[in-house]
């Protein structure tokens, strides 16, 4: 399913941009190639993507620095920073012909499966003087299904105002597509959940909205000053929405209340640290924080001193030494097929050992020593994507990768894991 999703709200600080980013990542995990268009003058999505603001006008606005792309498991997310009046300026420069604009959109349409537009507050719709430009594009130029998501806080007055806003937009006969979801974000406590659920059922069944989604408030998960795309959580409500879209399960109306978690106990964690740093204390903290010291640690390493240090782990562990032949094979990678074979081989060896235990937590020290012995970034990136994917699919295995900050290896792992911890 190809889609263009407009994220709409009437009030700031309801989490619209964070939900846009989270949905983009969730869709990418399902294999979508997502273009997230930041049309909000506040520019939070662009800021998180690391796009620096600069002053430009018209067609020159589309510069290389306006677009950042991130690989997310089997998919990707590109974040595009555009001013809200870009389309009108561009149309004027092109003599209102739109032929070049259509060509531009055609290229985007071939490259991406789904478009998410992080709109300004109170974005109007179609033919209005202050209409969101990318709403116009998604309705008229893209060969996709236009959808709309309305985001509100849990405040009843804000919900009422957002419903009124939605009714005005959806009443216009010129609008294509349909209202995909009404999201009540940041529900402050469990006592309000039943009330919010009842309200979402009313909204969903009375106003043609496919899905009603309630998201409990998750305190302390976002450090806005140090936020990056990699740190954006995949909130469970957005994961639910991504699964519905990927499976095309939109025939029936449904209300979903999240459990107040995102991917808080991730299955794959990358630890990036300076060479020689004590890794055991870091792992002990991860075992306590993320895994509650439940399970068996499987220590994978090519270093004898690593096994000695492992005696200081705060939970039961077993040792697994990488076979000498594998150590040679990793330096004989000549093509893409060799990369996949190497990833499958080490994944099979580790999984076979780990799955003998209940709740295995595989700790690889050092990740630098098991990847292909090459500086080819494409090979390294594909190796980690394949290795982690293969291992996750073999069973309930958790991965902790300790990578020393030497060369490009650590950076090539980042897009394939659920969580990154850097020292």
């Amino acid at each position: 399913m190809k889609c263009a999703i407009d994220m709409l709200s009437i009030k700031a600080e309801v989490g619209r941009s964070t939900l846009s980013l989270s949905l983009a990542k969730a869709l990418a995990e399902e294999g979508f190639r997502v273009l997230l268009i930041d049309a909000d003058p506040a520019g939070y999505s662009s800021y998180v993507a690391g796009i620096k603001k600069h002053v430009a006008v018209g067609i020159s606005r589309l510069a290389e620095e306006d677009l950042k792309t991130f690989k997310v498991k089997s998919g990707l997310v590109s974040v595009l920073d555009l001013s809200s009046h870009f389309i009108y300026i561009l149309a004027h420069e092109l003599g209102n012909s739109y032929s070049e604009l259509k060509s531009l959109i055609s290229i985007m349409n071939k490259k991406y499966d789904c478009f998410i537009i992080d709109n300004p507050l109170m974005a109007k719709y179609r033919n209005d003087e202050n209409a969101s430009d990318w709403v116009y594009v998604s309705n008229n130029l893209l060969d996709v299904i236009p959808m709309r998501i309305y985001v509100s806080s849990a405040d009843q007055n804000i919900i009422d105002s957002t419903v009124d806003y939605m009714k005005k937009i959806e009443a216009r006969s010129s609008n294509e597509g349909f209202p995909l979801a009404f999201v009540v974000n940041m529900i402050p406590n469990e006592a309000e959940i039943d009330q919010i659920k009842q309200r979402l059922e009313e909204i969903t069944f009375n106003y043609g909205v496919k899905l009603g989604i309630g998201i409990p408030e998750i305190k302390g998960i976002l450090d806005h000053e140090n936020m990056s795309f990699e740190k954006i959580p995949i909130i469970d409500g957005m994961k639910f929405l991504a699964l519905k879209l990927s499976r095309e399960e939109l025939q029936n109306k449904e209300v979903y209340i999240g459990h107040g978690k995102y991917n808080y106990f991730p299955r794959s964690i990358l630890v990036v640290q300076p060479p020689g740093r004590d890794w055991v204390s870091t792992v002990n903290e991860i075992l306590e924080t993320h895994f509650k010291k439940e399970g068996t640690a499987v220590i994978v390493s090519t270093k004898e001193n690593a096994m000695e240090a492992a005696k200081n782990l705060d939970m039961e562990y077993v040792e697994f030494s990488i076979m000498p032949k594998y150590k040679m094979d990793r330096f004989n990678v000549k093509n893409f097929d060799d990369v996949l074979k190497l990833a499958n081989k080490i994944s099979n060896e580790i999984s076979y050992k780990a799955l003998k235990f209940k709740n295995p937590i595989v700790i690889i020290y050092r990740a630098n020593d098991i990847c292909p012995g090459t500086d080819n970034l494409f090979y390294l990136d594909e190796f980690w994507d394949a290795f982690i994917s293969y291992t996750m699919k073999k069973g309930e295995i958790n991965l902790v990768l300790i990578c020393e900050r030497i060369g490009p290896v650590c950076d090539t792992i980042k897009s394939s894991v659920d969580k990154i911890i850097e020292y």
Side-chain angles (χ1 to χ4, degrees):
M1 172 183 289
K2 299 197 71 157
C3 56
I5 301 172
D6 280 288
M7 303 292 289
L8 301 161
S9 68
I10 63 163
K11 190 178 183 300
E13 305 300 326
V14 298
R16 185 194 64 251
S17 294
T18 299
L19 292 180
S20 298
L21 290 158
S22 185
L23 177 59
K25 290 183 75 170
L27 285 167
E29 282 200 346
E30 297 304 312
F32 282 83
R33 298 164 298 165
V34 183
L35 178 62
L36 172 54
I37 300 163
D38 187 358
D40 184 358
Y44 182 70
S45 294
S46 300
Y47 164 75
V48 168
I51 299 173
K52 295 181 179 179
K53 288 291 180 184
H54 57 92
V55 178
V57 178
I59 199 166
S60 62
R61 184 80 176 89
L62 248 185
E64 184 177 350
E65 58 265 30
D66 290 311
L67 181 73
K68 288 289 181 71
T69 298
F70 305 87
K71 185 170 182 181
V72 181
K73 296 195 174 177
S74 58
L76 63 83
V77 176
S78 294
V79 180
L80 180 63
D81 178 27
L82 292 180
S83 65
S84 61
H85 295 292
F86 172 74
I87 295 300
Y88 296 128
I89 295 170
L90 182 57
H92 177 73
E93 288 186 359
L94 299 176
N96 296 314
S97 69
Y98 279 99
S99 60
E100 291 186 40
L101 178 58
K102 287 183 179 181
S103 176
L104 172 65
I105 301 304
S106 176
I107 293 171
M108 290 182 174
N109 202 26
K110 291 176 182 177
K111 185 172 182 179
Y112 300 101
D113 306 307
C114 191
F115 300 80
I116 299 175
I117 303 94
D118 183 9
N119 281 289
L121 295 178
M122 296 291 292
K124 297 183 182 179
Y125 223 74
R126 295 271 312 228
N127 304 323
D128 288 296
E129 182 180 352
N130 297 316
S132 168
D133 305 316
W134 279 95
V135 169
Y136 178 84
V137 173
S138 66
N139 266 350
N140 292 276
L141 300 178
L142 297 174
D143 184 21
V144 296
I145 302 173
M147 305 178 191
R148 295 169 286 282
I149 296 177
Y150 298 89
V151 182
S152 170
S153 69
D155 182 279
Q156 291 299 327
N157 291 327
I158 301 301
I159 293 175
D160 290 343
S161 298
T162 305
V163 168
D164 290 341
Y165 170 62
M166 177 183 69
K167 288 163 65 177
K168 290 177 182 177
I169 289 178
E170 298 303 329
R172 296 178 183 173
S173 59
S174 56
N175 287 340
E176 299 178 14
F178 56 89
L180 173 62
F182 192 101
V183 179
V184 176
N185 195 23
M186 301 183 293
I187 304 172
N189 54 65
E190 290 187 12
E192 295 189 34
I193 286 180
D194 287 343
Q195 182 182 6
I196 295 296
K197 183 178 180 182
Q198 185 176 357
R199 190 71 201 279
L200 283 171
E201 289 174 348
E202 172 198 330
I203 293 168
T204 303
F205 290 97
N206 289 344
Y207 301 112
V209 182
K210 295 288 185 181
L211 303 169
I213 299 175
I215 301 175
E217 185 174 16
I218 309 170
K219 297 183 182 295
I221 65 165
L222 296 180
D223 177 3
H224 291 287
E225 291 185 2
N226 299 301
M227 184 52 62
S228 65
F229 181 81
E230 290 81 5
K231 294 178 182 177
I232 287 289
I234 297 181
I235 299 167
D236 64 327
M238 295 300 98
K239 183 69 174 177
F240 165 80
L241 189 52
L243 288 172
K244 287 291 181 182
L245 287 167
S246 66
R247 297 169 182 172
E248 299 188 24
E249 296 176 349
L250 299 175
Q251 295 84 2
N252 300 318
K253 296 179 183 294
E254 189 172 349
V255 170
Y256 175 87
I257 302 295
H259 49 58
K261 298 178 181 178
Y262 52 108
N263 205 0
Y264 200 74
F265 300 105
R267 291 184 62 197
S268 56
I269 299 174
L270 169 66
V271 178
V272 181
Q273 63 180 32
R277 187 183 189 277
D278 174 27
W279 62 274
V280 175
S281 60
T282 301
V283 170
N284 277 333
E285 184 178 340
I286 292 171
L287 293 175
E288 171 65 33
T289 304
H290 297 282
F291 304 111
K292 304 302 180 185
K293 296 184 180 178
E294 296 176 357
T296 301
V298 180
I299 311 298
V300 179
S301 182
T302 61
K303 306 289 184 182
E304 291 185 8
N305 60 346
M307 299 305 184
E308 183 67 24
K311 294 178 180 179
N312 295 316
L313 284 174
D314 293 339
M315 67 179 291
E316 179 183 353
Y317 74 93
V318 294
E319 301 174 0
F320 175 67
S321 296
I322 294 175
M323 298 294 104
K325 187 176 186 307
Y326 180 84
K327 298 177 187 178
M328 294 184 290
D329 289 345
R330 60 185 286 263
F331 289 100
N332 292 322
V333 170
K334 295 182 174 59
N335 53 50
F336 182 65
D337 286 342
D338 288 345
V339 171
L340 296 183
K341 288 177 183 177
L342 190 73
N344 191 48
K345 181 176 182 179
I346 191 64
S347 175
N348 284 337
E349 288 185 13
I350 292 173
S351 301
Y352 177 77
K353 176 78 172 183
L355 289 173
K356 293 180 179 180
F357 304 93
K358 185 177 180 180
N359 300 325
I361 304 165
V362 174
I363 300 166
I364 298 178
Y365 178 80
R366 301 174 321 158
N368 312 65
D369 298 329
I370 73 164
C371 61
T374 176
D375 290 329
N376 186 312
L377 297 182
F378 174 72
Y379 285 178
L380 291 171
D381 187 78
E382 292 300 322
F383 170 83
W384 288 113
D385 192 46
F387 166 70
I388 293 172
S389 177
Y390 291 158
T391 306
M392 296 291 100
K393 290 176 181 178
K394 285 182 170 67
E396 290 300 315
I397 297 174
N398 297 295
L399 274 175
V400 178
L401 304 165
I402 314 294
C403 185
E404 294 192 344
R405 199 177 283 108
I406 302 171
V409 174
C410 299
D411 288 338
T412 62
I413 305 175
K414 290 180 178 179
S415 65
S416 300
V417 296
D418 296 326
K419 184 178 180 65
I420 302 166
I421 300 172
E422 297 200 51
Y423 293 94

